[in-house]
Amino acid sequence: TRSDDAIERARSLSNGLFGLALAGRGPVTVEDVPIASLAEDVWAATETGAGTLVVDAGRVVRGDPRLIGRLLEHAFENALEHGPPDVTVRLDDDESGLAIEDDGPGIPPDRRAAVLSDPADPDEPIRAGFRIIRDVATAHGWGLALEEADSGGLRLSITTDRPPSKRDTSTIDD
């Protein structure tokens, strides 16, 4: 119908404008980004309360440090907002990329794909934050999967070097 077409067009324009807003805050740079030091800087600038960041990552990624910082910021804020007051957030790396996990409640498997989709309400905090995480990962050509951490919390697997993990079906890739 015409109204469905109009809604889809508005959503498409909104997505495009969001992408421009995300990338349009100054020139996009591509450089070597030491992920551990960036994560520590982002954590230090975040209201963390009794939360703890554990960094066990030595990886250097290629990308825009400002945008990667936004990804980390939203991942950390999600864990701090939805986890216990003393949540532990762990940043780790392996041969394919990065993992950010927490010991909070996690996201049930049947909700993970919806969390990564465009929210009907862009002000819905959990989905809006994940939209930014998704868009930054996509802008860098990275894969993103939401998985269960060993602690039962949420694990964000960000594949920077090869196709995303098949451990979960809630995967976004380019």
Side-chain angles (χ1 to χ4, degrees), residues 113-169:
V115 166
L116 288 176
S117 68
D118 288 328
D121 177 2
D123 294 325
E124 185 181 332
I126 188 169
R127 289 179 66 194
F130 276 108
R131 181 176 179 194
I132 292 169
I133 292 168
R134 180 202 66 195
D135 287 352
V136 171
T138 300
H140 284 84
W142 298 343
L144 176 65
L146 302 183
E147 303 167 343
E148 184 173 328
D150 290 339
S151 66
L154 180 65
R155 176 182 171 92
L156 292 171
S157 290
I158 305 164
T159 309
T160 59
D161 292 343
R162 62 181 194 205
S165 165
K166 298 300 180 197
R167 288 176 53 188
D168 191 290
T169 58

Side-chain angles (χ1 to χ4, degrees), residues 67-146:
L67 295 178
I68 297 168
R70 294 277 315 264
L71 180 151
L72 293 169
E73 173 187 357
H74 285 281
F76 296 164
E77 287 176 350
N78 179 67
L80 291 161
E81 181 177 342
H82 299 285
D86 62 346
V87 68
T88 297
V89 179
R90 177 176 298 280
L91 173 66
D92 202 350
D93 61 7
D94 61 23
E95 70 279 351
S96 64
L98 307 168
I100 303 166
E101 61 182 58
D102 63 61
D103 59 359
I107 297 174
D110 62 337
R111 290 211 48 233
R112 293 178 189 154
V115 166
L116 288 176
S117 68
D118 288 328
D121 177 2
D123 294 325
E124 185 181 332
I126 188 169
R127 289 179 66 194
F130 276 108
R131 181 176 179 194
I132 292 169
I133 292 168
R134 180 202 66 195
D135 287 352
V136 171
T138 300
H140 284 84
W142 298 343
L144 176 65
L146 302 183

Side-chain angles (χ1 to χ4, degrees), residues 6-73:
I7 290 170
E8 188 55 43
R9 173 98 173 111
R11 178 174 285 148
S12 176
L13 287 170
S14 173
N15 290 343
L17 291 172
F18 179 80
L20 287 173
L22 183 63
R25 300 203 192 281
V28 173
T29 61
V30 176
E31 58 189 71
D32 288 338
V33 179
I35 203 69
S37 62
L38 179 58
E40 290 165 354
D41 290 347
V42 170
W43 186 263
T46 302
E47 181 64 43
T48 60
T52 302
L53 175 66
V54 176
V55 178
D56 192 17
R59 179 176 286 271
V60 173
V61 297
R62 294 281 299 159
D64 185 305
R66 182 178 37 84
L67 295 178
I68 297 168
R70 294 277 315 264
L71 180 151
L72 293 169
E73 173 187 357

